Amino acid sequence: MAADRRSSWLKGVLDLLVLARLTDGESYGYEIAKALAEAGLGEIKGGTLYPVLNRLEEAGLVEAEFRAAERGPGRRYYRLTDLGRERLAVETGSWLTFHSAVRTMLDPGETTP
């Protein structure tokens, strides 16, 4: 049950987290998934991550470039566009407002900075 809930929460914010991860520079799918896992979000499988990346690319929020590798398969690198940076700023503000409201409801005595 808890894993199902966590999955639902993640669906609501995964696009934003992927955009945030790309603020440090370009990256490829495995690196993005690894960074999200290291942040404590759990394993993000390719069947979840790649549709998000495709949707962000179609929306013009990220650009992708395939690069051949000297060894092994090539990789598709993603980078944030200017539109992606703008969307990230707006959505971050919206998410933080929502987060604050949820936190207030869950712990009314808690004050958030």
Side-chain angles (χ1 to χ4, degrees), residues 60-63 79-89:
L61 305 177
V62 301
E63 294 175 334
R79 71 184 147 277
L80 209 49
T81 63
D82 289 341
L83 182 60
R85 287 182 194 286
E86 291 171 18
R87 178 73 60 86
L88 176 60

Side-chain angles (χ1 to χ4, degrees), residues 23-75:
T23 59
D24 293 337
E26 67 182 13
S27 190
Y28 56 93
Y30 176 76
E31 277 186 337
I32 294 168
K34 185 177 170 187
L36 295 173
E38 288 172 356
L41 298 166
E43 180 185 3
I44 311 296
K45 298 187 185 241
T48 299
L49 180 60
Y50 289 104
V52 168
L53 287 165
N54 289 336
R55 187 170 54 251
L56 295 173
E57 185 178 9
E58 288 174 8
L61 305 177
V62 301
E63 294 175 334
E65 175 186 350
F66 181 81
R67 294 186 197 151
E70 289 183 29
R71 290 184 173 167
R75 293 186 175 131

Side-chain angles (χ1 to χ4, degrees), residues 1-6:
M1 183 84 123
D4 291 341
R5 218 174 280 130
R6 186 181 178 114

Side-chain angles (χ1 to χ4, degrees), residues 1-12:
M1 183 84 123
D4 291 341
R5 218 174 280 130
R6 186 181 178 114
S7 176
S8 293
W9 295 338
L10 189 57
K11 269 186 191 171

